[in-house]
Amino acid sequence: MTTYTNRNEVPVHEKWNLSDIYPKIEKWENDYQLIEEITVSLKKFDGNIHDGHSLYEYLKQREELSFHFNKVYAYAMLMVDENTRETLPQSYLDKAKQLSVKVSAATSFFMPYLLSLDEETLRSYIKEEGRLTYFEEDLLDSFRYKEHVLSKEQEEILSKLGEALSVPGHTFGMINNADIKFGEVTNENGDRIELTRGMYSKLIEDEDREKRREAYKAYYQPYVQLKNSIAATLSAAIKNNVTLAKIRHYPSALEKALFGDNVPREVYENLIQTTKDNISPLHQYTRIRKEKLKLDEIRQYDMSVPLVSGVKQVISYEEAYETMLKALAPLGEDYLTILKEFKDKCYIDVRETPGKRSGAYNLGVYGVHPYILLNHQDDLDSLFTLVHECGHGVHSKLSSQYQPQITAGYSIFVAEVASTVNEVLLINYLLNNESDPEVRKHLLNHFIDQFKGTFFTQVMFAEFEMKTHDMAERGIPLNVEVFNQTYETLFREYNGETIIFDEEVKYGWSRIPHFYRPFYVYKYATGFASAIHLATKILEGDQETIHSYLEFLKSGSSDYPLELLKKTGVDLTTPDPIQNALKRFGELVEEFSQI
């Protein structure tokens, strides 16, 4: 595997090309200035929108501002991520962030103004100024919030409280990222060293059981020590959600969180119930794991170690790209043409270099094209990451191409569908083209573990959130004991009775940052289930599904997420997509146990 000591060593065709956004920094500065001018102009509309014409002028200028601002921000962010140690790009990003605050302040008057109108007045404005039809759906959708928006004075008070209300999440972030000190583990030389997160993710997969146990105990040590502080921050976060939902006249905190995507509560409850009704294959997998690892008893620190050892595939970037094109062939020539363009036109930043941001992401820049960040390691995980991010990339590319700016961005609810469909097509292709039983087992194990993490674990978290918010709504005090008991009960229900519980298991709730962004994790599970459903049909060669899926990728946010998925044949208001995904999981576990 090639390692690079700096960015200049990386071949040009493996680095993204930021000059597609701005050929030189002066152009960035010109746009920056333009945004400042438009911001000043937008402020003048406060109190001065009295007819269709002035409403259109405001919205048109705001959209123009948003077009330029997205480019300015994206350029600075991508530059920083190339090398986070450089100070000049950091200063551009700081400037962009300051600009964002100014833009927010200049446009904050609009929503209260809009909702102070009655619908009839708004419709008369649209009739009088024909060009408003472009914004019509967006404007009318805002009216859904009417009963949940307060008077101008109350809204101002709430916005001033915004920072205070975010304190629990911020406090947990500081504990979790800055202050936490994990326990010690023994390194190869027999020295005691402090555990880091990066080390933990490797050690918990180590074949040496004692190393796994030691890492597990060391990792949980600070969470158990800080249990009361973390319980207080989580309890405060939950109470804030519940209080805000009441103030804004929502039936519950859950319904407040689902409102934006227009998702009924039943979809959330149905996800949990259907999963629990079909949980036995997951329990079976725990039993298989215990058998394969030849353990008298299985514990939580045995749940991440790969069950197939010695299968280390080296997959170069070139080979990974070729494999992706073959695996995604069922999606048709047009899809593959876009993927080839990503590589040929330098949309992807491939290699890990010192100072480069870790991980991987896709960023769609409207009016330009998507940018994909990778840190390719020539292994199976990197192949999956490439295929995943290119799924997001094609979704961004097609939505931008076929949608006007106002509906080009897509909701998080549907985002994971495009990436996961690609992963399912990939695993299918790899299994179909692999005869070595050890490699096949390794692939199945990889996919089953991914299914477990993206689907079952997230459903369990979603149920934990629902139960704890429900208690807060009923006035039950939340503390360490309540969190421990709730989490431990759920962990048993989902993972089965085979696992022997260490004391640490029940503290699992204390390390999850997503719990400070309420009712968010369920979207991973619904997205994953939708993708399994679609990929199964695509692999059967169902032309209607292939066509409707490609149309879905072109739709951006032109409809509510559930409606967009319905057009592809996935109806999340019924148990079917969840049942189909769980049936597929059962088949994978069965095949794995047979090999």
Side-chain angles (χ1 to χ4, degrees):
M1 199 181 96
T2 327
T3 44
Y4 295 96
T5 54
N6 67 56
R7 197 170 166 80
N8 299 333
E9 295 174 3
V10 180
V12 171
H13 66 274
E14 291 188 350
K15 291 188 282 198
W16 57 29
N17 179 11
L18 296 189
S19 65
D20 289 349
I21 312 179
Y22 293 111
K24 43 182 187 285
I25 198 68
E26 290 77 30
K27 298 274 187 199
W28 185 88
E29 281 160 347
N30 292 348
D31 261 5
Y32 190 94
Q33 222 169 336
L34 176 66
I35 295 164
E36 286 198 307
E37 287 162 16
I38 301 175
T39 305
V40 173
S41 164
L42 285 177
K43 269 188 187 152
K44 295 176 185 161
F45 284 95
D46 188 359
N48 290 311
I49 301 179
H50 303 300
D51 54 18
H53 179 68
S54 48
L55 177 58
Y56 174 75
E57 279 306 316
Y58 168 79
L59 292 169
K60 188 183 74 160
Q61 285 186 33
R62 193 180 69 179
E63 185 170 84
E64 187 193 350
L65 179 142
S66 137
F67 175 75
H68 293 294
F69 178 77
N70 288 342
K71 282 172 50 175
V72 159
Y73 197 90
Y75 187 80
M77 184 186 111
L78 295 167
M79 244 193 336
V80 167
D81 290 351
E82 288 178 355
N83 188 349
T84 55
R85 299 169 184 176
E86 295 273 349
T87 51
L88 188 63
Q90 198 60 60
S91 69
Y92 289 121
L93 186 59
D94 289 342
K95 278 180 75 174
K97 283 178 177 169
Q98 287 160 13
L99 190 56
S100 157
V101 174
K102 285 184 193 169
V103 171
S104 266
T107 55
S108 65
F109 76 91
F110 184 70
M111 195 64 164
Y113 154 75
L114 182 65
L115 296 177
S116 71
L117 298 175
D118 53 69
E119 201 171 322
E120 215 173 299
T121 308
L122 179 62
R123 286 189 187 278
S124 73
Y125 286 175
I126 295 168
K127 212 169 179 177
E128 152 201 341
E129 171 52 84
R131 292 173 298 176
L132 274 173
T133 49
Y134 173 74
F135 298 104
E136 182 173 2
E137 272 190 29
D138 236 37
L139 292 169
L140 292 171
D141 184 52
S142 304
F143 271 86
R144 289 200 307 129
Y145 289 88
K146 195 158 179 134
E147 62 186 291
H148 306 298
V149 172
L150 312 172
S151 70
K152 197 174 176 184
E153 293 72 31
Q154 289 170 316
E155 284 294 342
E156 267 174 31
I157 294 168
L158 270 189
S159 70
K160 284 175 183 162
L161 283 173
E163 207 173 326
L165 292 169
S166 65
V167 165
H170 185 64
T171 305
F172 176 75
M174 294 311 277
I175 292 173
N176 204 33
N177 299 319
D179 295 343
I180 215 155
K181 289 267 181 285
F182 296 107
E184 291 187 336
V185 292
T186 313
N187 68 5
E188 303 84 80
N189 312 325
D191 301 324
R192 299 290 286 165
I193 54 164
E194 190 192 322
L195 180 73
T196 64
R197 271 185 219 285
M199 280 162 65
Y200 178 70
S201 57
K202 287 195 171 57
L203 287 171
I204 202 67
E205 294 182 357
D206 201 289
E207 288 184 14
D208 180 338
R209 192 174 191 221
E210 190 41 49
K211 276 190 179 168
R212 297 201 299 270
R213 194 190 77 86
E214 187 184 47
Y216 177 76
K217 298 282 178 193
Y219 181 70
Y220 271 93
Q221 184 186 312
Y223 292 109
V224 177
Q225 278 171 347
L226 296 165
K227 60 188 177 191
N228 291 305
S229 305
I230 298 176
T233 55
L234 182 56
S235 170
I238 292 170
K239 283 178 191 155
N240 283 352
N241 299 336
V242 167
T243 306
L244 275 174
K246 275 187 189 142
I247 291 174
R248 292 203 173 280
H249 314 299
Y250 288 96
S252 67
L254 172 57
E255 276 138 306
K256 177 180 181 291
L258 300 176
F259 189 81
D261 283 325
N262 205 16
V263 170
R265 186 186 176 110
E266 294 77 57
V267 169
Y268 196 95
E269 291 168 341
N270 162 49
L271 169 71
I272 291 169
Q273 195 51 54
T274 310
T275 303
K276 292 175 87 162
D277 291 342
N278 295 275
I279 202 81
S280 55
L282 185 60
H283 295 176
Q284 186 194 346
Y285 180 57
T286 308
R287 292 193 292 275
I288 293 171
R289 182 170 267 288
K290 181 182 168 187
E291 249 168 67
K292 299 259 183 214
L293 294 172
K294 299 184 171 60
L295 296 173
D296 296 333
E297 51 173 48
I298 189 165
R299 294 176 179 265
Q300 197 186 354
Y301 49 78
D302 301 315
M303 298 301 281
S304 301
V305 59
L307 298 179
V308 186
S309 56
V311 187
K312 196 83 178 120
Q313 293 168 285
V314 176
I315 306 167
S316 72
Y317 178 65
E318 294 297 324
E319 195 188 334
Y321 221 94
E322 282 309 306
T323 304
M324 170 169 74
L325 293 173
K326 288 175 191 162
L328 303 183
L331 292 171
E333 254 335 291
D334 292 353
Y335 194 98
L336 299 186
T337 305
I338 295 172
L339 288 178
K340 288 172 190 162
E341 184 182 299
F342 281 14
K343 187 163 178 265
D344 299 343
K345 294 192 175 172
C346 301
Y347 296 179
I348 307 177
D349 208 76
V350 181
R351 301 292 170 187
E352 184 174 34
T353 47
K356 181 175 167 181
R357 179 181 159 154
S358 63
Y361 64 69
N362 159 70
L363 179 72
V365 184
Y366 188 80
V368 188
H369 57 68
Y371 281 88
I372 292 173
L373 177 128
L374 302 172
N375 282 278
H376 195 83
Q377 300 293 336
D378 294 356
D379 57 15
L380 184 67
D381 278 340
S382 291
L383 167 60
F384 270 91
T385 302
L386 170 70
V387 167
H388 181 102
E389 295 306 336
C390 283
H392 288 311
V394 175
H395 195 179
S396 296
K397 169 96 180 160
L398 287 172
S399 283
S400 290
Q401 195 176 325
Y402 287 91
Q403 293 297 322
Q405 186 181 338
I406 197 166
T407 51
Y410 45 81
S411 143
I412 298 283
F413 191 96
V414 295
E416 292 307 318
V417 175
S419 50
T420 311
V421 163
N422 281 11
E423 289 194 54
V424 180
L425 296 179
L426 172 65
I427 192 82
N428 185 75
Y429 172 82
L430 294 173
L431 286 168
N432 283 345
N433 290 278
E434 186 54 70
S435 51
D436 181 331
E438 285 306 296
V439 178
R440 282 181 65 80
K441 252 196 305 195
H442 175 62
L443 290 167
L444 278 168
N445 183 201
H446 177 96
F447 193 55
I448 288 169
D449 282 342
Q450 189 207 357
F451 204 129
K452 192 180 161 197
T454 314
F455 186 84
F456 289 103
T457 304
Q458 306 307 326
V459 176
M460 181 179 83
F461 288 167
E463 187 170 3
F464 178 82
E465 287 188 279
M466 188 169 81
K467 280 187 179 314
T468 49
H469 279 78
D470 182 50
M471 286 181 213
E473 276 158 354
R474 288 186 289 131
I476 297 169
L478 299 176
N479 52 39
V480 173
E481 277 65 45
V482 171
F483 289 141
N484 280 357
Q485 196 186 342
T486 308
Y487 193 86
E488 186 172 358
T489 306
L490 288 172
F491 195 91
R492 277 191 194 284
E493 286 175 12
Y494 282 81
N495 292 283
E497 294 297 327
T498 314
I499 297 186
I500 304 295
F501 271 41
D502 287 82
E503 179 62 14
E504 288 84 357
V505 170
K506 62 186 179 204
Y507 290 100
W509 58 269
S510 63
R511 57 180 188 84
I512 311 296
H514 278 103
F515 287 160
Y516 297 85
R517 188 175 174 182
F519 303 109
Y520 171 80
V521 292
Y522 87 100
K523 297 177 188 183
Y524 290 117
T526 50
F528 195 81
S530 305
I532 298 270
H533 188 94
L534 285 164
T536 308
K537 295 260 189 225
I538 291 166
L539 288 167
E540 287 165 1
D542 182 330
Q543 290 307 309
E544 201 180 317
T545 300
I546 294 170
H547 174 74
S548 65
Y549 175 63
L550 294 172
E551 287 304 307
F552 162 80
L553 295 180
K554 297 172 185 173
S555 329
S557 57
S558 58
D559 206 338
Y560 296 119
L562 288 181
E563 297 308 314
L564 290 175
L565 284 169
K566 271 182 195 168
K567 291 171 193 169
T568 67
V570 175
D571 186 355
L572 285 165
T573 60
T574 71
D576 296 353
I578 312 296
Q579 277 169 350
N580 289 347
L582 292 164
K583 181 168 167 270
R584 181 75 187 112
F585 182 75
E587 291 163 3
L588 290 166
V589 171
E590 192 51 42
E591 187 180 348
F592 186 71
S593 70
Q594 296 302 323
I595 292 183

